[in-house]
Amino acid sequence: MTQRVAFLGAGNMAEAMISGIVESGKYAPEQIIASNRSNQERLTKIKTKYGIEAVTKDQLDFSKIDVFILAMKPKDIESVLADLKYRLRPDQLLISVLAGISTSYMEENLNEGQQVIRVMPNTSSMLGESATAICPGKHVSMDQVLLTIELMNCIGEAYIIEERQMDIFTGIAGSGPAYFYNLMEHMEQAGYEGGLDRELARKIGAQTIRGAAQMMIEREETPAQLRKNVTSPNGTTAAGLEALAEHGGGKAIAEAVKGAASRSKELREELEKVFAEQK
């Protein structure tokens, strides 16, 4: 059966996902709809760029949609769920990309038995290279989980995790691109100071890391084993790793992941507190 997917919200993350899904070729542009409350200029831009349907929420025919993807700001979730409670049928799947909003919260604020799945992609979805977490709600069927995996695989690789693991996933995948960009800033600067043109140093570093990541994906060896494979005693790599360890190295990255995960937990708890006070 041909599935029609509507994005409720047309911000940067929604556009990244739309781009990845359209580029994958697994869904035709006419199967994808973008919507927002009233920003017609934004909708026109997305419609022109991706060839999909783009309408305001009031123009969207909810009865003809199979899957809704919530992609607005988390602060708007209460009013959105209150509206969806009277619009959704039990057989329509609701997928949320909203940070900090649990499946249980959405289920409690929708009709009994509403199918809800929470996902967490990152910005690499625009290139079809996202690492995306999938947390199924308690009412979804296996077919709906498989459909969500298919959708999320259009923008990269999808992984089913438990909701309690979402904070640490955010620390790795959600914030991970920034760790890489920070690493590249320093590699680029070191290359420049060593005599390379900045753009060339950047390209060399990016290609090196991309190749190393691909090798790790394709082989069954652990990161530790791969590191040992490329490190000769008293060689250049060993000297580089010693300098890295001296200045924090991998421990700094581990602390960055933990710090991001901790902040994710704090933001989630703050959001839950605000919602509880509003009731």
Side-chain angles (χ1 to χ4, degrees), residues 10-28:
N12 292 337
M13 179 53 73
E15 182 176 358
M17 295 178 71
I18 289 168
S19 175
I21 292 170
V22 171
E23 286 295 319
S24 75
K26 295 179 180 178
Y27 285 76

Side-chain angles (χ1 to χ4, degrees), residues 11 20 30-31 33 49 56 88 97-98 158 200 218 242 246:
E30 55 265 27
Q31 292 177 257
I33 303 170
K49 188 173 183 178
T56 61
L88 295 184
V97 301
L98 307 186
L200 179 59
E218 293 182 359
E242 288 174 9
E246 182 180 345

Side-chain angles (χ1 to χ4, degrees), residues 128-134 149 152-159 169 217:
E129 294 293 346
S130 174
T132 304
I134 295 177
I149 291 173
M152 296 304 112
N153 278 345
C154 288
I155 60 174
E157 291 289 332
Y159 310 92
F169 180 90
I217 289 170

Side-chain angles (χ1 to χ4, degrees), residues 26 69 71 82 88 119 122-123 157 168 179 207 212 216 221 243:
K26 295 179 180 178
I69 298 181
L88 295 184
V119 302
N122 61 27
T123 54
E157 291 289 332
I168 192 64
Y179 310 151
Q207 178 59 38
M216 186 169 62
E221 294 166 292

Side-chain angles (χ1 to χ4, degrees), residues 141-183:
S141 67
M142 181 54 66
D143 284 344
Q144 289 171 323
V145 172
L146 292 175
L147 171 61
T148 305
I149 291 173
E150 179 185 69
L151 266 172
M152 296 304 112
N153 278 345
C154 288
I155 60 174
E157 291 289 332
Y159 310 92
I160 296 179
I161 66 172
E162 297 178 28
E163 194 133 26
R164 63 182 178 80
Q165 299 169 317
M166 188 60 87
D167 291 327
I168 192 64
F169 180 90
T170 299
I172 297 172
S175 303
Y179 310 151
F180 164 72
Y181 298 139
N182 183 258
L183 171 63

Side-chain angles (χ1 to χ4, degrees), residues 227-244:
R227 173 180 52 78
K228 292 177 183 177
N229 292 347
V230 299
T231 307
S232 302
N234 300 316
T236 57
T237 303
L241 288 172
E242 288 174 9
L244 190 64

